[in-house]
Amino acid sequence: DALKYMLEQERYTLTTAPDSAVALALLQTETFDLVLLDVNMPRLNGLEVLKSVKSLYLESEIIMLSGVDELKIAVECMSFGAYYYITKPYSSSELLFLIERALERKRLLFQNRVFKADLARRAMSCHIVSQNRSLLEMLDMAARSAASDSTILIEGASGTGKELVANFVHSNSSRKDQSFMALNCSSIPETLIESELFGHEKGAFTDATSTEQGLVEMASGGTLFLDEIGEMSITIQPKLLRFLQTGEFRRVGGNKNLKADVRIISATNKDLRQEAQGRRFREDLLFRLNVITLHLPTLRERKDDIPLLVEHFLTRHAGSKEPKRLDEKALEVLMKYDWPGNVRELENVMERAAILSQDDAIYFDDLALPLKPRSLRDSSLAPVAGVIQVGSPVSMGDMQKAHVAGVLRSVSGNKEIAAKILGMSVKTLYSKMQAYNLG
């Protein structure tokens, strides 16, 4: 009681437990940053509770309190994961100092969990290269929307840069110094996406060996980007809707309502209105997600940006070397190509050309594109496998085969990137490769 009173005076939020059984029951329903644990207690002693807490809740720091000043017990406590071992009687200042240090360590451990994602976000330039009027108008709307906490839905085909726009919004918002977490809803199995979003309790499913936080907790105070939201299972959508409405959620296997303050930005390459009409997407969730809708044009609709983007990509991939220049004939080819994979495909093509070209310039023949206009091909060159001349009398099947082969070649055989450019799953790509005997 005295300890509780002292800590409440320091504005800490406290929950007390008279014995180990009550403490373990509390830890199964609530999240605690720090546990002050006595060594000698009825029923289970402190060491047994320490082992249980560390096996279940790895993010709770633990300070052991004991009236016994024994080196053996102290070493044992530290080996089981306690932050510190302090003997009674202790001064208030000594304990408060340890508590602050333990909480600081807790904060650092949490920050490390989001460090990679945040580093990737900061490494991704939020400077979008464009002189296209429609894109610049969209960015102006995105910048004005950034100041609010309203949900934003970004619409656009694969490869148009939806995550880049989400990063742009976050970087211009009041949450810019907080974490930016991203989840691709199409890359997570339906059985695991709820756990990825909301976390899970130990034992919630077969591989749940410990309690884990979900992305909504990890991104609290910041922004959560849900890419390919149209692929989210219809069974998970009501839980996301409830979170958007109340800010509350439950971990998988848990029975306690938790809260998180996170801004949701979502993106899709589907028409969610048609998906809602077909009952594959909840209409009420769509209304919650698209308070503000941003539409990204395809590269085919902003071809005036191609010279700028080419210069940008060549400079970025040159590193410390002098960037290669693009031959006029090669630029003409890029301007006439339809770019089904959009900006992502253009970047891949330019990166490959910059690596493989043997001169300080990139020429027509350095470009790995699935379709090249007849008028721009050098008639002296031998036919290239996987390339069909526009205007040739060929079947749709042959054209599709050539397109798949060309995209695979342009990304050096990377099937995940090729699948994204082609707008299909990796599984479908493998099926196409087998059908077309592309190895």
Side-chain angles (χ1 to χ4, degrees):
D1 290 339
L3 184 56
K4 182 173 185 284
Y5 176 79
M6 179 190 77
L7 293 176
E8 285 178 340
Q9 294 301 304
E10 297 294 327
R11 301 192 181 280
Y12 288 112
T13 302
L14 268 289
T15 301
T16 57
D19 58 40
S20 54
V22 175
L24 288 173
L26 285 169
L27 284 163
Q28 290 175 1
T29 58
E30 297 185 46
T31 301
F32 295 92
D33 294 315
L34 177 65
V35 178
L36 300 178
L37 183 60
D38 211 322
V39 173
N40 294 316
M41 294 186 295
R43 304 173 78 170
L44 284 178
N45 66 36
L47 282 172
E48 293 300 321
V49 176
L50 171 61
K51 293 178 190 177
S52 297
V53 171
K54 278 300 175 183
S55 65
L56 289 170
Y57 312 98
L58 300 177
E59 295 172 5
S60 293
E61 294 297 333
I62 300 176
I63 295 177
M64 303 296 294
L65 312 174
S66 177
V68 180
D69 187 7
E70 285 191 19
L71 180 61
K72 180 182 177 182
I73 297 177
V75 170
E76 203 169 2
C77 288
M78 302 299 281
S79 67
F80 287 137
Y83 174 74
Y84 208 82
Y85 176 94
I86 185 171
T87 56
K88 305 171 186 177
Y90 46 77
S91 67
S92 299
S93 59
E94 182 182 11
L95 181 61
L96 289 171
F97 176 71
L98 285 176
I99 288 173
E100 186 53 42
R101 283 183 56 189
L103 291 174
E104 179 61 25
R105 183 173 187 271
K106 166 71 170 55
R107 286 190 286 270
L108 290 173
L109 288 174
F110 177 79
Q111 289 170 5
N112 276 338
R113 292 191 61 188
V114 300
F115 177 74
K116 287 185 178 179
D118 200 44
L119 185 62
R121 176 188 69 81
R122 293 179 187 278
M124 181 192 299
S125 172
C126 60
H127 175 66
I128 300 174
V129 177
S130 180
Q131 62 183 5
N132 179 264
R133 181 176 177 179
S134 62
L135 183 59
L136 293 176
E137 288 176 352
M138 184 277 295
L139 288 176
D140 178 64
M141 184 176 178
R144 286 184 281 118
S145 305
S148 73
D149 277 337
S150 298
T151 57
I152 292 178
L153 176 64
I154 304 171
E155 297 178 330
S158 295
T160 49
K162 296 186 289 293
E163 185 168 355
L164 199 62
V165 174
N167 181 40
F168 174 85
V169 172
H170 175 78
S171 299
N172 285 278
S173 73
S174 60
R175 298 171 180 260
K176 62 184 178 182
D177 295 324
Q178 303 300 317
S179 59
F180 176 92
M181 307 296 292
L183 174 68
N184 189 316
C185 299
S186 66
S187 65
I188 306 295
E190 180 181 336
T191 53
L192 295 180
I193 193 165
E194 182 180 359
S195 173
E196 285 288 318
L197 275 174
F198 303 121
H200 62 258
E201 301 289 346
K202 181 180 180 182
F205 46 86
T206 304
D207 296 327
T209 57
S210 64
T211 295
E212 295 287 346
Q213 289 181 316
L215 290 176
V216 295
E217 281 185 87
M218 295 170 66
S220 189
T223 302
L224 176 59
F225 174 56
L226 299 178
D227 198 6
E228 306 301 349
I229 189 73
E231 302 295 334
M232 179 175 284
S233 165
I234 197 73
T235 60
I236 306 301
Q237 291 178 26
K239 296 178 181 180
L240 177 60
L241 175 62
R242 181 177 181 274
F243 174 70
L244 289 170
Q245 290 173 329
T246 66
E248 294 184 347
F249 65 96
R250 288 185 182 182
R251 294 188 186 131
V252 176
N255 56 14
K256 179 180 175 59
N257 288 341
L258 303 173
K259 298 202 75 168
D261 170 29
V262 60
R263 183 184 195 174
I264 300 292
I265 300 177
S266 55
T268 182
N269 60 8
K270 293 184 173 182
D271 186 336
L272 293 187
R273 293 158 194 81
Q274 288 187 2
E275 294 295 300
Q277 289 174 4
R279 298 190 176 182
R280 294 179 296 274
F281 199 86
R282 291 181 63 109
E283 190 174 39
D284 48 1
L285 177 58
L286 174 58
F287 292 151
R288 282 282 177 180
L289 291 172
N290 72 340
V291 173
I292 298 168
T293 302
L294 304 175
H295 180 75
L296 265 172
T298 63
L299 186 55
R300 185 168 56 252
E301 296 170 318
R302 46 179 289 221
K303 284 193 173 181
D304 51 331
D305 281 338
I306 289 178
L308 289 176
L309 289 166
V310 167
E311 182 181 359
H312 172 70
F313 293 142
L314 290 178
T315 301
R316 190 165 80 183
H317 292 298
S320 58
K321 300 178 181 179
E322 185 70 21
K324 294 189 177 183
R325 63 179 180 83
L326 187 68
D327 178 70
E328 289 184 10
K329 194 173 183 181
L331 178 59
E332 191 177 348
V333 174
L334 298 182
M335 296 297 289
K336 289 188 176 183
Y337 182 58
D338 277 344
W339 298 108
N342 294 293
V343 180
R344 184 189 292 123
E345 184 182 8
L346 174 61
E347 181 175 11
N348 291 336
V349 167
M350 297 317 301
E351 182 179 4
R352 180 185 184 279
I355 293 171
L356 298 181
S357 65
Q358 298 180 353
D359 204 341
D360 61 353
I362 295 173
Y363 297 100
F364 168 79
D365 294 312
D366 296 317
L367 302 176
L369 292 174
L371 299 176
K372 294 182 181 179
R374 178 192 293 272
S375 61
L376 294 176
R377 288 185 54 78
D378 187 340
S379 58
S380 66
L381 295 176
V384 180
V387 176
I388 291 179
Q389 297 173 357
V390 175
S392 300
V394 294
S395 68
M396 289 298 295
D398 287 338
M399 289 189 69
Q400 189 175 53
K401 176 181 177 179
H403 184 53
V404 172
V407 170
L408 281 167
R409 187 171 58 253
S410 73
V411 297
S412 303
N414 188 313
K415 296 175 181 60
E416 288 189 2
I417 295 176
K420 288 181 179 179
I421 291 173
L422 291 165
M424 61 180 66
S425 67
V426 175
K427 182 179 179 181
T428 302
L429 176 58
Y430 273 107
S431 299
K432 296 282 186 186
M433 291 174 64
Q434 187 174 12
Y436 296 142
N437 194 27
L438 295 177

